[in-house]
Amino acid sequence: MWDLGDAYERYVGRWSQLVAVEFLRWLDVPPGRTWLDVGCGTGVLTEAVLAHTRPAAVTGVDPSEGFLDRARARVPDAGFAAGDATDLGERTADVVVSGLVLTFVPDAAQAVEEFARVAPFAGSYVWDYASGMQMMRLFWDAAKDVDPAAAAHDEGLRFSAVSGAEPLRALWTGAGLRDVEVTGIVVPTVFRDFDDFWAPFLGGTGAAPAYAATLPPEQRDAIRDLLRSRLPARGPIELTAKAWAVRGSR
């Protein structure tokens, strides 16, 4: 599911770029620091760190070789290595960050404890799956109308223990981090037309596309047609995406 970097870019990687820049502005880390991007994926946040924070060095870690290949091509000036968010080994940094990762880590609390162990400052952001990430919310609402079994895959329900302001605050304070702050970041997600909106759901990478790939064609087409009826018939489709961001220090 997480090996196709290009498919991920078309799905949400392009919107993550916008969130990453706003997230780094909010973190407001002084220049000259070393950074560790945990769950770096295709390198979106790593690239933004290099472009906006004047770091001494930045390293990205991810378990997916497919994503790492895309990240290395995208950000040749950063270092990348295979790694697990819940076991960062001997790595250390001044700042550890993660973007859109914690909802997919089997033990998010252990991951945040690792963040706090390897760096004195840690920050992260995750999508607001319950209501704020509109493209996903629209998809899952339509999917459940067509296939009630889709509720078991709905990220708004599956990730509620992580993808909200209070769950993130609890993870950071539970790891012993202090001066914990949480904020919402909202960015525009503008699609050229319905095809630009729908095609990424057919890429197989990400929870919603992976679910869509399991459906028989007639159900997948029914979801498509229902979504088409609920979105503007002409011109651009102007939505927004909200992420929750958290930061803290030890």
Side-chain angles (χ1 to χ4, degrees):
M1 169 175 159
W2 297 111
D3 289 335
L4 302 176
D6 290 342
Y8 179 81
E9 284 297 299
R10 290 189 294 271
Y11 179 45
V12 292
R14 51 182 167 166
W15 313 124
S16 177
Q17 294 176 46
L18 304 179
V19 178
V21 173
E22 295 303 317
F23 170 68
L24 294 174
R25 286 198 186 108
W26 178 66
L27 286 189
D28 194 26
V29 174
R33 302 304 195 263
T34 57
W35 292 68
L36 180 64
D37 180 6
V38 179
C40 65
T42 59
V44 168
L45 181 52
T46 308
E47 182 179 48
V49 169
L50 277 171
H52 296 279
T53 72
R54 290 182 288 162
V58 56
T59 300
V61 174
D62 199 275
S64 167
E65 287 296 337
F67 276 9
L68 287 172
D69 287 344
R70 177 66 185 258
R72 291 184 182 108
R74 177 182 202 145
V75 198
D77 292 333
F80 293 97
D84 186 333
T86 61
D87 183 5
L88 295 171
E90 300 303 312
R91 296 181 176 91
T92 60
D94 298 316
V95 183
V96 62
V97 288
S98 68
L100 310 180
V101 171
L102 286 177
T103 45
F104 300 101
V105 176
D107 190 338
Q110 176 61 36
V112 180
E113 288 175 8
E114 280 291 277
F115 297 174
R117 181 182 67 82
V118 304
F121 185 83
S124 182
Y125 59 91
V126 296
W127 291 125
D128 177 4
Y129 290 103
S131 60
M133 214 308 178
Q134 291 184 339
M135 63 174 284
M136 294 184 190
R137 186 73 270 134
L138 285 162
F139 174 88
W140 288 117
D141 288 348
K144 287 184 289 187
D145 285 344
V146 171
D147 172 26
H153 304 274
D154 184 343
E155 293 145 298
L157 302 174
R158 288 172 55 205
F159 301 147
S160 60
V162 177
S163 64
E166 291 314 309
L168 285 175
R169 189 185 305 277
L171 284 169
W172 254 242
T173 56
L177 292 162
R178 299 171 298 170
D179 302 320
V180 175
E181 297 180 66
V182 180
T183 192
I185 298 172
V186 179
V187 298
T189 57
V190 180
F191 302 87
R192 294 188 307 273
D193 51 28
F194 183 78
D195 286 343
D196 189 35
F197 173 88
W198 175 247
F201 287 104
L202 305 179
T205 297
Y211 159 77
T214 69
L215 297 175
E218 59 271 18
Q219 276 193 316
R220 194 160 50 244
D221 290 349
I223 295 171
R224 177 201 62 200
D225 293 344
L226 185 54
L227 279 166
R228 193 193 300 272
S229 73
R230 293 174 176 178
L231 289 166
R234 296 173 179 271
I237 297 172
E238 299 180 355
L239 304 177
T240 58
K242 181 178 181 179
W244 288 109
V246 61
R247 63 188 179 191
S249 58
R250 59 169 165 80

